[in-house]
Amino acid sequence: MAEETKVEETTEQTIEQTDKETTEETTTEVETEETKQEAAEEVAEETVDEESTETSSEDVKESEQEKGSEKKGPFKKKEKKKDKKDEMIEDLTDKVKRQMAEFDNFRKRTEKEKSQMYEIGAKSIIEKILPVVDNFERGLAAVPEEKHTEDPFVDGMDKVYKQLMTMLAEADVKPIEAVGQEFDPNLHNAVMQVESEEFESGVIAQELQKGYMYRDTVVRHSMVAVVS
């Protein structure tokens, strides 16, 4: 009996030990599965977070790009408008410069024409006055010099002649030098040739009619006799 009791106790201990080990193994397996599930869930959550993060970053980039394009759009339009304004300004500036240049040329041309007209008018009047001067000179040359002061009439004529010559000189009218000068066809009009011991050939020996210049223009050529 004692041996049977020991055998039974041993058997019970073995069973209990086996049950414990089985329970522990089951618990360990359960814990392992739970740990795997938790790890899988964590990995899935991390993957979802990464995907969401990437998606949000992409959305942010797209929104920034859209904002940038919206901002750039008005600036481009402004640049185009600015370019048109610059072109208009350049065109208007060019037109103004051309008009100013044309006006300046017109002003210079008008002043030149006025000056020429004035010179033509003055030359015409001087040409009409010169015969009067010639008559004064002929009349005074016919009177002896001693009577210029004795005769009041001759003295008055001489004073009028001098006043007239002073007026012409103030108007830039001056006589052309002739006697003793080399003949110049631009200033002198040769009507005859003479022989002279005093002057060389080609030199003016006698002035038959006095010539005059108005500024740099010949009003009347001197009528002269040239040494042959």
Side-chain angles (χ1 to χ4, degrees), residues 159-173:
K159 288 181 179 178
V160 173
Y161 169 73
K162 290 179 180 178
Q163 184 180 5
L164 181 60
M165 295 303 294
T166 301
M167 182 195 69
L168 290 174
E170 290 176 352
D172 292 332
V173 178

Side-chain angles (χ1 to χ4, degrees), residues 63-73:
S63 62
E64 288 178 353
Q65 288 177 355
E66 289 177 357
K67 288 181 180 179
S69 62
E70 289 177 356
K71 289 181 179 179
K72 288 179 181 178

Side-chain angles (χ1 to χ4, degrees), residues 96-218:
V96 170
K97 287 181 179 179
R98 289 184 180 181
Q99 289 179 354
M100 291 296 291
E102 290 177 359
F103 177 76
D104 188 54
N105 293 332
F106 171 76
R107 180 179 58 80
K108 290 179 180 178
R109 186 171 60 254
T110 303
E111 289 178 356
K112 187 177 179 180
E113 289 175 354
K114 285 181 179 178
S115 178
Q116 289 176 349
M117 290 175 65
Y118 177 80
E119 289 182 359
I120 292 170
K123 183 179 178 181
S124 176
I125 293 172
I126 293 166
E127 287 176 348
K128 293 178 180 179
I129 293 173
L130 291 180
V132 178
V133 176
D134 294 337
N135 291 332
F136 268 106
E137 290 177 348
R138 292 190 188 100
L140 292 172
V143 179
E145 292 184 1
E146 60 270 11
K147 289 188 178 181
H148 284 192
T149 55
E150 294 177 1
D151 190 342
F153 178 76
V154 176
D155 184 47
M157 292 290 291
D158 186 46
K159 288 181 179 178
V160 173
Y161 169 73
K162 290 179 180 178
Q163 184 180 5
L164 181 60
M165 295 303 294
T166 301
M167 182 195 69
L168 290 174
E170 290 176 352
D172 292 332
V173 178
K174 55 185 180 180
I176 298 172
E177 296 181 1
V179 178
Q181 301 294 322
E182 188 175 355
F183 176 76
D184 185 356
N186 295 319
L187 302 175
H188 309 122
N189 182 20
V191 294
M192 60 184 298
Q193 289 183 340
V194 296
E195 293 181 358
S196 175
E197 296 179 355
E198 184 180 358
F199 301 107
E200 296 178 355
S201 176
V203 177
I204 298 171
Q206 186 180 0
E207 184 179 46
L208 304 175
Q209 187 181 48
K210 191 176 290 185
Y212 290 89
M213 290 185 66
Y214 172 63
R215 295 180 180 175
D216 296 329
T217 305
V218 177

Side-chain angles (χ1 to χ4, degrees), residues 37-133:
Q37 289 180 355
E38 291 177 355
E41 290 176 357
E42 290 178 356
V43 170
E45 289 177 357
E46 290 178 356
T47 303
V48 171
D49 291 336
E50 288 178 356
E51 290 178 353
S52 61
T53 303
E54 290 177 356
T55 305
S56 61
S57 62
E58 289 177 357
D59 293 337
V60 170
K61 287 181 180 178
E62 289 178 356
S63 62
E64 288 178 353
Q65 288 177 355
E66 289 177 357
K67 288 181 180 179
S69 62
E70 289 177 356
K71 289 181 179 179
K72 288 179 181 178
F75 286 125
K76 287 182 179 178
K77 290 181 181 178
K78 286 183 179 179
E79 287 177 358
K80 289 181 180 178
K81 289 182 179 178
K82 188 176 181 182
D83 292 339
K84 289 182 180 178
K85 288 181 180 178
D86 291 338
E87 289 178 359
M88 290 177 66
I89 290 169
E90 289 178 358
D91 292 338
L92 292 173
T93 304
D94 185 59
K95 288 180 181 178
V96 170
K97 287 181 179 179
R98 289 184 180 181
Q99 289 179 354
M100 291 296 291
E102 290 177 359
F103 177 76
D104 188 54
N105 293 332
F106 171 76
R107 180 179 58 80
K108 290 179 180 178
R109 186 171 60 254
T110 303
E111 289 178 356
K112 187 177 179 180
E113 289 175 354
K114 285 181 179 178
S115 178
Q116 289 176 349
M117 290 175 65
Y118 177 80
E119 289 182 359
I120 292 170
K123 183 179 178 181
S124 176
I125 293 172
I126 293 166
E127 287 176 348
K128 293 178 180 179
I129 293 173
L130 291 180
V132 178
V133 176

